């Protein structure tokens, strides 16, 4: 059989060689075909004969193989005209795409050669124009004609995929043949010539899990029930090969990463069958007891698990919630526990998937159950009152020590410790009650008044005798029961008015009463007059039997001159046991009224007064008095504000007046403490004030040296002279500077200390003694001793 296969292969190769040779011979004949001359006639539309111009040559397309690397230029074809007699008078000219650069023509023989290597993928064909002209005159002998040179393809480009790496997903447990992804490669070779661009796909890596379709490049699953939980990611290498996949073809590869996506194909499972938990009986509802977790290898929403309690004796005492972040079931306390009542509970907890895929429902129930056993731990609990709150009653005004009620608490622990009671004094600041620490009896300390406080709300503590930190607290409400201990009184301070001209048996006021006691000891109220005035000739009383009473006039003709005020006592009784009553006095005034019964005046003096000043006159007199008082007060105030001058210049010598100031000066704006007229600039009176902030325009002649004033000169005159000199000197400093005067006054033993005389040259003072005073006075000795030294030198 092997020899038979070899013979068949040899025969096929021989046939292929013959076909290639035949194709080469045919191409060569076409390239070297001589043009045939012929005339062609066509008939026009109107029947006239159209003569087509005679073509000197006709040829087919030329072909040249790409990527030719021979030593000589490749012959593309040969052009020849029928009028060419071979004498060399015809010159062939080539123009068009690549003429002279890629394609050259022998102008004598018409042979066309390609001088450069061609690449079909860069350019598949070239359009050229050929023309035969006279060599001597360059006159065209034939019309120019176009022809095409096509570049013949060879298999020189391998297939290339669009992407170097591909990524795809496919659900786990997909059926065989499920499409995953399609990869596509391209080949730059000519798809219309040969098999250079015919591609075939194959898989190099990834068997036996995946396969690829040879013609389309579609990758499909090749194995059933691939499990993501076993392996999630696969790496596949796909090859694309040209030449139809035959030997000698070029190939390219790409990598495909395929990830199995999750489906809900696994139910949750508890890692153990029983969970043990414990909780203290002191735990409060909502407190976490423990956690359970069922493992599900699926991910995402396929791995979500919900927990629930489906059975057990602790269903009413506990609850379970799902923590979706950790996928755990959290067991929490639902109600308060009592170790002394029940010491353990049992729960049956179920874990089930939230999302179930119907395609895998046959795999079994996607849920699991587990038993949770919870033991209750004993805790040192505080005392517990038998009732959550207490309500007691006690009558008001009850004697001190009256028992109000009793509270009771017990220790729920097995030790059953003794209990001590106390009252929270923050709820009984006035200390109305006291409690027996042993038995819990509450008693009053002092009398209670319902009208002051109707309810007392206190709190009672219960603590264990040996464990003071364990305490309980209960509210106790004490109602003060009313006793009829308050008599009714007028509801308001009534004052009645009756007209002088009123008619008899007319009511003029309605009164009511209030009682501080409870309604059982209050209304209904009974109104009456005292027995001693029941036959009062002026007024009478009528009980309206609705807790009000009306006062009526018994006679006519009241007179303010005779009596303008009446006091009527009224007795008010309540309906309590025993009844309480009080006597209240109603004030009744007699007033003047008009014919319609409207009040005019209730003053007896106004009725008697028939002469005198009117009200307007009295007001005018009072206004005048007030105005006069205001004028006097203003005059006195202005008089006091006027101040006397501080200094009074008299004719006597100013030196005999020594004025002592014991306060600070007021500055430049204080013009009342001294007479500033003496220091004012006389030039300012005429509107001219010398500028002190700029240099004078003219140079002021220096004043001659001042001589000491004789003893007969008055100080006042001396100062005025110096002021006048300073005011007239434009180079003088501003007015607020210090002026130095070389005059000490009469009788001065020290004489003048001023330096104003230093400018004189006829001084007879001798300063040689300064040389003996030491180095500190050397500078002064040099200044004042220079005159003598200068005279000696001269």
């Amino acid at each position: 059989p092997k020899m038979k296969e070899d013979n068949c292969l040899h025969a096929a190769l021989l046939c292929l060689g013959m076909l290639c040779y035949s194709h080469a011979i045919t191409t060569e004949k076409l390239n070297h075909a001589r043009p045939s001359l012929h005339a062609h006639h066509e008939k026009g539309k109107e029947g006239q004969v159209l003569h087509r111009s005679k073509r000197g040559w006709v040829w087919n397309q030329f072909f040249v193989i790409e990527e030719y690397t021979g030593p000589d230029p490749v012959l593309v074809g040969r052009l020849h005209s029928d009028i060419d007699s071979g004498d060399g008078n015809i010159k062939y000219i080539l123009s068009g795409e690549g003429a002279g650069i890629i394609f050259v023509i022998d102008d004598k023989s018409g042979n066309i050669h390609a001088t450069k290597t061609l690449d079909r993928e860069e350019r598949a064909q070239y359009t050229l124009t050929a023309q035969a002209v006279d060599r001597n005159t360059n006159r065209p002998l034939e019309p120019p004609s176009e022809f095409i040179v096509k570049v013949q393809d060879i298999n020189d480009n391998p297939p290339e995929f669009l992407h170097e790496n591909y990524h795809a997903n496919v659900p786990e447990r997909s059926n065989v043949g499920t499409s995953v992804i399609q990869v596509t490669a391209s080949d730059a070779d000519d798809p219309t010539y040969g098999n250079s661009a015919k591609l075939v796909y194959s898989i190099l890596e990834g068997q036996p899990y995946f396969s690829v379709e040879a013609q389309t490049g579609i990758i499909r699953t090749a194995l059933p029930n691939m499990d993501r939980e076993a392996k999630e990611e696969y790496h596949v290498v796909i090859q694309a090969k040209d030449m139809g996949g035959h030997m000698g073809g070029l190939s390219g590869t790409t990598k495909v990463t395929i990830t199995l996506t999750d489906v809900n194909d696994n139910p949750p499972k508890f890692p153990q069958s029983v969970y043990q938990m414990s909780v203290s009986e002191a735990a409060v509802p909502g407190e976490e007891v423990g956690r359970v977790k069922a493992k599900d290898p699926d991910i995402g929403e396929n791995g979500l698990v919900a927990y629930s309690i489906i059975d057990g004796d602790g269903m009413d005492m506990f609850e379970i919630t799902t923590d979706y972040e950790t996928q755990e079931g959290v067991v929490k306390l639902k109600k308060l526990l009592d170790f002394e009542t029940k010491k353990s509970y049992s729960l049956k907890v179920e874990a089930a998937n939230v999302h179930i895929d119907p395609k895998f429902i046959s795999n079994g129930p996607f849920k699991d159950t587990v038993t949770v056993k919870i033991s209750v731990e004993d805790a040192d609990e505080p005392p517990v009152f038998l009732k959550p709150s207490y309500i007691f009653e006690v009558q008001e005004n009850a004697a001190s020590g009256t028992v109000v009620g009793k509270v009771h608490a017990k220790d729920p622990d097995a030790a059953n410790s003794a209990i001590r009671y106390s009252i929270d004094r923050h709820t009984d600041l006035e200390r109305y009650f006291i409690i027996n620490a042993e038995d819990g009896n509450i008693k009053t300390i002092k009398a209670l008044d319902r009208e002051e406080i109707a309810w007392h709300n206190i709190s009672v503590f219960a603590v264990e005798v040996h464990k003071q930190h364990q305490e309980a607290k209960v509210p106790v409400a004490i109602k003060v029961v009313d006793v009829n201990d308050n008599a009714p009184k007028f509801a308001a301070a009534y004052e009645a008015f009756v007209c002088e001209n009123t008619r008899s048996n007319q009511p003029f006021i309605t009164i009511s009463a209030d009682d501080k006691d409870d309604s059982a000891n209050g209304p209904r109220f009974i109104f009456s007059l005292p027995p001693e005035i029941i036959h009062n000739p002026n007024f009478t009383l009528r009980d309206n039997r609705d807790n009000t009473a009306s006062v009526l006039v018994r006679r006519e003709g009241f007179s303010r001159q005779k009596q303008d005020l009446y006091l009527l006592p009224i007795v008010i009784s309540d309906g309590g046991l025993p009844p309480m009553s009080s006597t209240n006095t109603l004030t009744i005034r007699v007033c003047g009224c008009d014919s319609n019964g409207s009040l005019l005046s209730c003053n007896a003096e106004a009725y008697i007064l028939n002469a005198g000043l009117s009200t307007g006159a009295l007001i005018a007199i009072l206004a005048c008095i007030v105005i006069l008082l205001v004028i006097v007060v203003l005059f006195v105030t202005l008089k006091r504000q006027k101040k006397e001058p501080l200094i009074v210049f008299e004719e006597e010598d100013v030196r005999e007046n020594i004025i002592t100031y014991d306060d600070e000066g007021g500055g430049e704006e204080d013009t009342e403490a001294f007479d500033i007229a003496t220091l004012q600039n006389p030039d300012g009176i005429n509107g001219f004030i010398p500028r002190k902030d700029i240099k004078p325009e003219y140079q002021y002649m220096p004043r001659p040296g001042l001589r000491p004033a004789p003893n007969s000169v008055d100080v006042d005159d001396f100062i005025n002279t110096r002021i006048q000199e300073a005011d007239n000197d434009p180079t003088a400093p501003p007015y607020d500077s210090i002026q130095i005067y070389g005059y000490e006054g009469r009788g001065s033993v020290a004489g003048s200390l001023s330096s104003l005389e230093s400018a004189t040259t006829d001084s007879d003072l001798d300063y040689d003694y300064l040389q003996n005073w030491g180095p500190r006075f050397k500078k002064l000795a040099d200044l004042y001793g220079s005159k003598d030294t200068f005279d000696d030198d001269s």
Side-chain angles (χ1 to χ4, degrees), residues 401-452:
T402 301
V403 177
V404 176
K406 181 179 181 180
V407 297
H408 183 67
K410 66 176 183 178
D411 182 11
D413 298 326
N416 195 15
S417 302
I419 307 297
R420 295 185 64 85
Y421 304 92
S422 62
I423 295 177
D424 184 2
R425 287 306 171 187
H426 293 91
T427 61
D428 185 26
L429 297 176
E430 299 295 331
R431 295 184 177 269
Y432 288 103
F433 306 97
I434 191 173
I435 189 170
N436 190 309
E438 304 295 335
D439 56 13
N441 278 322
I442 301 174
K443 298 180 181 180
T444 60
I445 299 178
K446 51 187 176 180
L448 306 178
D449 187 358
R450 190 204 67 85
E451 288 71 38
E452 182 180 351

Side-chain angles (χ1 to χ4, degrees), residues 770-782:
L770 295 176
Q771 299 291 341
N772 301 325
W773 283 15
R776 294 186 178 181
F777 295 90
K778 183 177 184 303
K779 185 66 175 179
L780 189 62
D782 294 339

